[in-house]
Amino acid sequence: MTITAGTPLRVVVWGENRHEQVEPHVAELYPDGMHNAIKAGIEENLGAAVDVSVALLDDPEHGLTEERLAQTDVLTWWGHAAHGEVSDEVVERVHRHVLSGMGLVVLHSGHWSKIFQKLMGTSCTLRWRSENDRELVWTVDPTHPIAQGVPHPIEIPQQEMYGEQFDIPKPDEIVFISSFSGGEVFRSGITYRRGNGKIFYFSPGDQDFPVYHHKDVRKVIANGVAWVASDRAERAEPVLLRYETGDFFNGRGYQGAMANHEAPVTEAAEVAE
Amino acid sequence: MTITAGTPLRVVVWGENRHEQVEPHVAELYPDGMHNAIKAGIEENLGAAVDVSVALLDDPEHGLTEERLAQTDVLTWWGHAAHGEVSDEVVERVHRHVLSGMGLVVLHSGHWSKIFQKLMGTSCTLRWRSENDRELVWTVDPTHPIAQGVPHPIEIPQQEMYGEQFDIPKPDEIVFISSFSGGEVFRSGITYRRGNGKIFYFSPGDQDFPVYHHKDVRKVIANGVAWVASDRAERAEPVLLRYETGDFFNGRGYQGAMANHEAPVTEAAEVAE
Amino acid sequence: MTITAGTPLRVVVWGENRHEQVEPHVAELYPDGMHNAIKAGIEENLGAAVDVSVALLDDPEHGLTEERLAQTDVLTWWGHAAHGEVSDEVVERVHRHVLSGMGLVVLHSGHWSKIFQKLMGTSCTLRWRSENDRELVWTVDPTHPIAQGVPHPIEIPQQEMYGEQFDIPKPDEIVFISSFSGGEVFRSGITYRRGNGKIFYFSPGDQDFPVYHHKDVRKVIANGVAWVASDRAERAEPVLLRYETGDFFNGRGYQGAMANHEAPVTEAAEVAE
Amino acid sequence: MTITAGTPLRVVVWGENRHEQVEPHVAELYPDGMHNAIKAGIEENLGAAVDVSVALLDDPEHGLTEERLAQTDVLTWWGHAAHGEVSDEVVERVHRHVLSGMGLVVLHSGHWSKIFQKLMGTSCTLRWRSENDRELVWTVDPTHPIAQGVPHPIEIPQQEMYGEQFDIPKPDEIVFISSFSGGEVFRSGITYRRGNGKIFYFSPGDQDFPVYHHKDVRKVIANGVAWVASDRAERAEPVLLRYETGDFFNGRGYQGAMANHEAPVTEAAEVAE
């Protein structure tokens, strides 16, 4: 999306905020929580073009009420230890907003979140090891807006290894591919469209290493936030509509599966839904 | 998959079998049920290379027990009026088998089935009209095995119209694009990989028209059955595994999110799952 | 690319300008030439954000000197009757600039131009008929910047028919699919990346019909111009370079095929190039 | 393509055969030439299902006459030091046969051959280093026929490094991604369709290392040969044809750019071609 001088993009950084509470070495790396490191990285790159706030797992409705999502242009998601605690109702709500046009940036261990699995339709599993591997992030799509302003490769001195096979649908675009000291490779920066929404998954980032303080990682996340923001004039959920012959612009609501040979239908005659 | 002279491919044709019971004009078009027309089309094209059976919504567990799915190479799916009656447990089971390598052919109104929505992650909505449109099915990928042996275009004299926008993920391959008399277009033959499984969606086919008796439609469905069958030596679900540095072949099971910096782990130390 | 308030985008509209000279009915539709209709459409949509000029086949070097291309952000291309008159040297030059990052919008019969064939690697053939078909242009990628601001579908009352199979590489993105009164379908709005450059092909537009005066067609072409403009900081041709172990940022020039096991090479030892 | 018990697939292994003549260490690794190692690998995996012969740069017409190509189902291509010596006429001929349906497997340094560049439309450049890197070849598309029967990853003890960015069009399918000891990554096994033909590029393989004696590399090349073989009933070049309204099956030859509004045309009225 074009980041212009107009209304700032409304960004919500969602954080699980558990490791920071339970594990001292994480709290040391991220004294304000990982979510605030992510927030700072977006603000440092996009400045006045964004208005960034935070929502946390322990907030009421995880901080993601219908009202708030309706006012959110881009949501970023980091979760790990507590994927199972995210309520199915909130996942459905976020899913509906993504299909309606809200942008979504999924970070690192968010690959195994309910919302990412629901959007992908696969297990989103992978191979991993948390052993201080060096990660190199190589750009394979040099024209992509998300790849601008970072070195080729990005060097991350210490990182958890995420390796193939990554059980995901074929990405719409592969922007980055990473290697690790141990020899593994990973499609680490990938995009998808789902409904009217755009999604960017970026794997670098971990609670055990200071990755969200890394200048280039922050730049990529900010690029991703700008890219997933919708170019559409308004948010709208995809719907199933009936159109009469020759009338391309006035759809009618669905009346039930047994009614589709009576046209026009005025009353529902459903048998089985 | 290579259809050879060896063991026949085990195909299960799943049918909802409701329209045929309730609507006389459907029963007239498909006196043995739509599922048996689909079955006959597969057999007429693949002969001794397949062993085709039928499973129905009203069978116990919809005819899709764990034991039966474990013995199924390819499942075809036709549903329409009763998507909501398919149990979530069976949908989870079919989903797991697709990710493990079972082939899936989704037909026509199956676009709105629970299993297709779960695999796609989108609403799978579209525009439609059931008004005797002529459908022309054009091949856009002339090299694809699914496109072999049919004219360009396939002509279907009477069909329900399915039109864009079809809310689906970008297909791995678009094999066919259809037009309708009314001027609409539709990505009517598309493929996806999900996990270790392959999926083919083909839109021509309807309860109100004799489409499953159409020679070319039957040929395409049979081609699709052959194509989605796995080339892999065995069925396996994708899993998340930890690999030690330098050991690429012996993964260890996941021990919980808080345990990933202690290696090797021998006992689970989960906090939050 | 982000169209901002900064330096205007430098756009060159290349036109063959032959039909207008030879055929009275074309001259009547396009009294200032098709190229000026295309230019006006871009200016009417992008205003001060673009600086548009024209280059013609009969200009010296077809108006596409090295100096001018180096100062061009986006080139649009319309040709038809005289593809064969475009010099191979200019085609090589344009090709190099596209790989280096210059955006390219190829219009209608430009599908059979030397530059498009060279970038695609295929025959770029199709089926066609010039018989006053109505064309409907359906959006299949609702998130794409190029699809914004136009109705779904775009209706073009009179158009030449272009139909599948269109012998092109699988597009990076299919933005639009068209149908024609006669029942044919066509992937009418498609994108590609080649090297550091972006390409948009859009088929609506013809010398025999007033398509370049159509409001929505002009909007799409302007969207395409904005989209193919590079986001990269500088223009650079992809090169083959040797990198020492551990030095990711300092490539060395190629020394010849027989020299690649002597490192570092200081003198070329080529046998066969 | 289905490898069945019928007529064997006619495979031509094309070899440059220069390093083996000039460099003793290459001759030692490949006493019968690299082409014969490649041939042996295909035969060891596909047996009686293939009939493999060799063609060399120094043969008349490089061994690739019109007659021979017309009798070739799959061509494999290895070149390096003498890309420039391959005649443009033979390149055009091979290109036409690929678009017509002949399968093509391009190996290693063949990435910079004239035929691969012509089919890709890009520079096909990359980063490289010949320094005994270990290459690991990871499968990212576990359902692909080309990935069957090899370990994940394939380990190649000594290899030339090929790294990103690899200036190629977005592949239709990425089957393998490699890492190297030095930390680089590479899309090492990729597929494309061009016209009616299928292409597989596989990067492992080099004159300085015994890679074509590696069991898994040989298996992948054989899988690639089987996969690129056409499923189509006959070979045919894509053509541009005019179709009258309602007649979908009888195309007429092109009569020239200025003649397209006179239908039917019986005599050519070309101005400019």
Side-chain angles (χ1 to χ4, degrees), chain A residues 59-85:
Chain A
D59 292 346
E61 301 188 48
H62 313 322
L64 302 173
T65 60
E66 178 63 33
E67 294 66 34
R68 188 167 189 190
L69 289 175
Q71 300 297 323
T72 300
D73 296 309
V74 174
L75 178 67
T76 75
W77 194 277
W78 194 99
H80 182 225
H83 291 317
E85 293 183 46

Side-chain angles (χ1 to χ4, degrees), chain D residues 7-8 10 24 28 33 56 79-80 102-103 126 137 146 157 171 177 193 195 208 231 237 256 260 264:
Chain D
T7 319
R10 299 159 302 178
E28 196 172 328
L56 299 176
H80 182 225
M102 183 180 71
L126 44 74
V137 185
I146 292 179
I177 296 176
R193 283 87 178 159
D208 289 328
D231 289 288
E237 200 178 349
N260 72 358

Side-chain angles (χ1 to χ4, degrees), chain A residues 127 134 136 138-142 152-153 164-166 170-174 177-187, chain D residues 127 134 136 138-142 152-153 164-166 170-174 177-187:
Chain A
R127 66 171 60 204
R134 176 194 65 178
L136 298 175
W138 300 88
T139 297
V140 292
D141 185 350
H152 176 70
E164 298 286 344
Q165 295 169 351
F166 187 16
K170 182 180 177 177
D172 289 7
E173 296 161 311
I174 301 177
I177 295 175
S178 289
S179 73
F180 295 84
S181 314
E184 291 86 357
V185 298
F186 196 64
R187 290 167 290 176
Chain D
R127 66 171 60 203
R134 175 194 65 177
L136 298 174
W138 299 89
T139 297
V140 293
D141 185 351
H152 176 69
E164 299 284 345
Q165 295 168 351
F166 187 17
K170 181 179 178 179
D172 289 7
E173 296 161 312
I174 301 178
I177 296 176
S178 288
S179 73
F180 294 85
S181 314
E184 291 86 357
V185 298
F186 196 65
R187 289 168 291 176

